[in-house]
Amino acid sequence: MAAAIVRDGRVLAARRPLGKRHAGKWELPGGKVEPGEDEESAVIREIREELMCTVRPMVRLGETAHDGLRLCGWRCELTAGEPVATEHIGLQWLLPEQIAGVDWVAADVPLLGLIFP
């Protein structure tokens, strides 16, 4: 599950920590859907855990498969707090025209063109 958190016409990108898979690449933050949990609840929980803020899932962007994993994406609205990089080594708000200039994790790439309709 990946959250495209949008605010003021920008989307939040999170940089993966060093020493982890895809270290230094940028991603849409998110995580796994737990057993018995729906996607919307997983988005809210994962963002609260990873970024210490609250989002509201607005639109399901679709899904992609990469390295044998299924990734679903949600466009989300930031509803409370300011994102804090607790698990990532950096955060940045990107305008639509800046998205292509970032070194993204491959699994997120198919979702990027769906964020801004």
Side-chain angles (χ1 to χ4, degrees):
M1 182 275 314
I5 303 169
V6 176
R7 178 175 72 182
D8 299 327
R10 297 172 187 256
V11 66
L12 184 69
R15 193 165 188 201
R16 299 213 21 101
L18 303 177
K20 294 241 179 167
R21 188 172 187 207
H22 307 299
K25 289 191 175 272
W26 293 86
E27 68 178 354
L28 298 172
K32 295 180 181 176
V33 177
E34 298 293 336
E37 187 176 43
D38 61 35
E39 290 178 6
E40 294 96 326
S41 298
V43 169
I44 295 166
R45 177 185 52 76
E46 284 286 347
I47 297 307
R48 187 176 300 127
E49 291 173 3
E50 282 187 21
L51 299 175
M52 311 279 292
C53 60
T54 305
V55 297
R56 178 174 54 221
M58 303 296 288
V59 176
R60 190 176 194 273
L61 298 173
E63 59 184 66
T64 181
H66 188 72
D67 288 340
L69 298 174
R70 182 182 67 92
L71 178 68
C72 60
W74 283 83
R75 185 175 333 120
C76 299
E77 173 185 39
L78 184 63
T79 59
E82 185 65 26
V84 177
T86 61
E87 296 183 18
H88 295 89
I89 59 172
L91 301 174
Q92 64 177 328
W93 291 98
L94 301 171
L95 290 167
E97 60 269 19
Q98 295 173 308
I99 292 173
V102 172
D103 186 15
W104 292 95
V105 171
D108 286 353
V109 172
L111 299 172
L112 299 175
L114 305 173
I115 297 170
F116 296 102

